[in-house]
Amino acid sequence: MSAWETVIGLEIHVQLATKTKIFSSASTAVGAEPNSHASLVDLAMPGTLPVLNREAVNMAVKFGLAVGAEINRRSAFERKNYFYPDLPKGYQTTQLAEPIVGTGNIELILDDGSRKTVRIHHAHLEEDAGKSLHEDFHGMTGIDLNRAGTPLIEVVTEPDMRSAEEAVAFARTLHSLVTAIGICDGEMSQGSLRFDVNVSVRRKGEEKLGTRTETKNLNSFRFMEMAIKKEVERQIDILEDGGSITQETRLFNGDTGVSRSMRSKEDANDYRYFPCPDLLPVMLSEEQIIELKNSLPELPAQRLGRFVEQYGLSDYDARILSSDLATSDYFEAVAERSDDAKLAANWIMGELTARLNAEERSIKECPMSASHLAELIARLKDNTISSKIAKQVFEACWNGEGSPDQVIEARGLKQVSDSGELQKMVDKIIAENTTQAEAYRAADEAKRKKMFGFFVGQAMKASQGKANPQQINELLMKALEG
Ligand code: ADP
Ligand code: MG
């Protein structure tokens, strides 16, 4: 056991899925020609003024409501001053003293099934910066301001997480929450959710928090886990060698697994925050908040509870299947159409997930429709096919050979349940294996059990896996034991 305890707090930038920017009417769509979605406001032309996007405010409020947070009836924007080429205004419009969302909670279910609450310190509205492009420009940097002004909420947690695994569980839970309530597209690889991890260590039993470092801009769960584990090791090494931790901002390169110091930690004072004179405070009415509350869909945590109750799933299965809307919808469609939630869960979490992972596809790109999977499960249940053949049918459907029924028909995979036909097969097997049959009859109970498998194997071979297993067992037993 380590003598050290890890302490982690997260700051997460969540890009809001509005059509237009937070202070201008330019589109937020990604993938366009550089600077084609940058209006005069985004370019910080003199004389332009920001107009707050109501939808961004609504989305921030929805987030707050979904985490049971205080919604501040009044919030205000401030200017955070710093110079960076992808920030043409010379300041970022953000919230500091009066954020829109106050304290709240997010409950995690950890891998061992235990629950843990992480406190949300607050969440505030702000604008994203543009992007500096280094790759295509030799000796120069390109600036793309399409992202400048994309609305964000920055969610700040208390330092409540105690391991990389807990931090990742939090990140996944947040991802599933913001996508479920439709405020973020959840595209991690596009930077739609970016995590800054604050990490410190302290001796077990120590109350006082250790000095922390902040690793910025992690946009995959795996990189986040790697970055935290490396940083914890680095800090423990330094402290055990008698050194001390410098509070600093670090960068982690996921491809090389190397982290490095970027700059010493800056203080709020360094940014010369002041209230933005161009924007009025954001005032929210009671009716507006109630309306937004009523517009919230079922939350992942509620769905999880419902899956356990309605479909009799285990906590573990329910957590996986309820984690995102697409998977939940797929599961529910298969469960309802096949009328067998347990089999639906097993197939989705087993065969289907394995194939999706192998091909790096999401459930939205799944070539097997929910109705096809339901049909496959139905054919298993009515004994048209065995579970072994079902895998073959699954494979064929996956590869676009048609519906399960079409595949079963075209490939002649129907299970043989005709007792006359099966009896003939059994007689033939016994006749061809008289030595084994005699040995079986001479053996005691324990040995017979083992030897029986040989005959079943022969039957499956003879029928190419299509013999109804239950019937063939019964017929073999009868033939061998009389
Ligand atoms: P600052 O004002 O310097 O930005 P905050 O107190 O706002 O610092 O904390 C920023 C983030 O760092 C929060 O997510 C918080 O939980 C986390 N944090 C603060 N202190 C520590 C610490 N000692 N160890 C780990 N995380 C910390
Ligand atoms: Mg802070």
Side-chain angles (χ1 to χ4, degrees):
M1 288 297 279
S2 163
W4 298 92
E5 180 178 49
T6 302
V7 174
I8 302 163
L10 300 174
E11 295 164 283
I12 308 100
H13 288 99
V14 180
Q15 273 186 354
L16 299 176
T18 54
K19 290 199 178 69
T20 57
K21 301 213 176 150
I22 185 166
F23 300 123
S24 84
S25 57
S27 165
T28 54
V30 294
E33 272 291 294
N35 300 309
S36 61
H37 290 164
S39 74
L40 296 176
V41 172
D42 308 319
L43 296 170
M45 287 300 165
T48 57
L49 283 170
V51 178
L52 180 59
N53 182 338
R54 179 191 298 270
E55 202 44 43
V57 172
N58 288 347
M59 288 182 177
V61 172
K62 279 190 185 181
F63 171 78
L65 293 168
V67 297
E70 268 171 66
I71 306 298
N72 292 320
R73 302 301 188 260
R74 176 197 151 104
S75 65
F77 286 100
E78 305 199 27
R79 292 184 177 182
K80 180 183 185 181
N81 298 281
Y82 64 97
F83 175 78
Y84 211 71
D86 57 24
L87 186 73
K89 290 193 294 189
Y91 60 85
Q92 180 192 29
T93 306
T94 179
Q95 299 184 316
L96 181 73
E98 296 181 84
I100 188 161
V101 174
T103 55
N105 289 297
I106 289 187
E107 191 176 62
L108 314 182
I109 299 183
L110 303 171
D111 278 338
D112 65 1
S114 63
R115 289 170 189 249
K116 164 157 194 148
T117 300
V118 172
R119 292 167 299 158
I120 302 298
H121 180 274
H122 78 272
H124 61 258
L125 269 168
E126 62 185 27
E127 61 185 338
D128 211 342
K131 272 186 186 170
S132 297
L133 309 171
H134 304 285
E135 269 153 30
D136 299 331
F137 304 90
H138 298 287
M140 291 187 286
T141 297
I143 303 291
D144 177 7
L145 293 172
N146 283 353
R147 198 180 67 178
T150 294
L152 301 174
I153 49 171
E154 179 174 336
V155 180
V156 181
T157 78
E158 294 288 352
D160 285 346
M161 287 146 281
R162 293 291 174 268
S163 65
E165 289 76 14
E166 284 186 14
V168 170
F170 178 89
R172 289 187 188 279
T173 305
L174 184 77
H175 181 273
S176 101
L177 182 69
V178 297
T179 51
I181 63 175
I183 66 164
C184 176
D185 68 16
E187 296 297 339
M188 303 274 296
S189 59
Q190 307 260 22
S192 296
L193 259 89
R194 309 193 294 269
F195 294 85
D196 299 347
V197 296
N198 296 274
V199 177
S200 67
V201 299
R202 61 180 169 189
R203 291 215 177 256
K204 287 227 172 96
E206 179 78 51
E207 289 251 332
K208 199 167 161 278
L209 292 178
T211 303
R212 71 174 193 274
T213 63
E214 178 177 9
T215 303
K216 282 212 176 282
N217 265 327
L218 299 163
N219 68 347
S220 95
F221 300 130
R222 201 166 58 84
F223 288 171
M224 191 172 149
E225 183 167 353
M226 282 161 62
I228 294 171
K229 287 190 166 157
K230 279 221 128 167
E231 180 57 16
V232 167
E233 261 175 46
R234 193 187 69 86
Q235 291 187 11
I236 292 175
D237 280 350
I238 292 174
L239 293 171
E240 288 191 338
D241 286 348
S244 58
I245 306 302
T246 317
Q247 188 169 339
E248 63 186 357
T249 302
R250 299 182 66 83
L251 281 179
F252 177 77
N253 182 331
D255 298 322
T256 58
V258 173
S259 85
R260 65 176 172 85
S261 176
M262 181 165 89
R263 56 169 186 249
S264 67
K265 171 77 183 165
E266 61 293 320
D267 226 71
N269 288 337
D270 298 334
Y271 290 114
R272 302 290 187 269
Y273 279 93
F274 67 88
C276 182
D278 290 345
L279 288 154
L280 288 168
V282 183
M283 306 300 291
L284 295 168
S285 69
E286 224 52 45
E287 299 84 74
Q288 206 178 336
I289 293 172
I290 290 169
E291 202 177 301
L292 288 167
K293 188 163 199 169
N294 292 336
S295 78
L296 283 178
E298 183 179 40
L299 302 177
Q302 298 169 326
R303 195 158 58 219
L304 189 150
R306 182 168 65 79
F307 278 12
V308 171
E309 193 129 297
Q310 181 179 344
Y311 298 109
L313 297 184
S314 69
D315 258 357
Y316 180 82
D317 291 5
R319 182 175 61 131
I320 291 175
L321 294 169
S322 67
S323 64
D324 72 90
L325 193 59
T327 307
S328 302
D329 286 348
Y330 191 95
F331 162 71
E332 290 206 84
V334 179
E336 266 149 39
R337 283 176 209 190
S338 67
D339 200 25
D340 196 319
K342 192 67 206 151
L343 274 179
N346 289 348
W347 274 88
I348 293 168
M349 296 196 314
E351 212 72 11
L352 193 84
T353 302
R355 284 305 304 260
L356 288 173
N357 288 346
E359 296 180 16
E360 291 183 12
R361 293 187 195 217
S362 80
I363 188 111
K364 286 183 201 157
E365 305 155 328
C366 180
M368 179 109 180
S369 68
S371 59
H372 279 181
L373 185 56
E375 189 174 295
L376 179 70
I377 290 171
R379 292 298 86 85
L380 253 171
K381 288 182 54 169
D382 67 15
N383 281 324
T384 307
I385 52 173
S386 66
S387 42
K388 205 167 158 201
I389 295 291
K391 295 211 168 134
Q392 214 175 306
V393 177
F394 178 90
E395 197 60 31
C397 295
W398 187 276
N399 294 327
E401 286 183 35
S403 74
D405 280 342
Q406 287 166 335
V407 170
I408 293 166
E409 186 63 41
R411 293 194 176 193
L413 293 174
K414 244 191 203 124
Q415 181 157 267
V416 182
S417 301
D418 176 328
S419 49
E421 206 173 311
L422 290 175
Q423 184 64 54
K424 257 190 237 158
M425 199 183 295
V426 166
D427 292 344
K428 190 157 172 261
I429 288 165
I430 305 275
E432 282 170 1
N433 298 285
T434 45
T435 336
Q436 282 89 339
E438 267 157 35
Y440 180 93
R441 290 183 184 118
D444 61 22
E445 189 79 15
K447 278 208 187 113
R448 280 187 175 192
K449 261 202 183 128
K450 277 193 207 150
M451 296 163 83
F452 192 68
F454 164 77
F455 296 98
V456 176
Q458 293 298 309
M460 284 304 161
K461 208 158 132 197
S463 70
Q464 289 165 308
K466 289 185 291 184
N468 178 316
Q470 204 184 331
Q471 276 177 294
I472 206 78
N473 276 358
E474 282 165 17
L475 291 174
L476 277 170
M477 192 66 83
K478 230 192 257 163
L480 286 165
E481 303 193 359

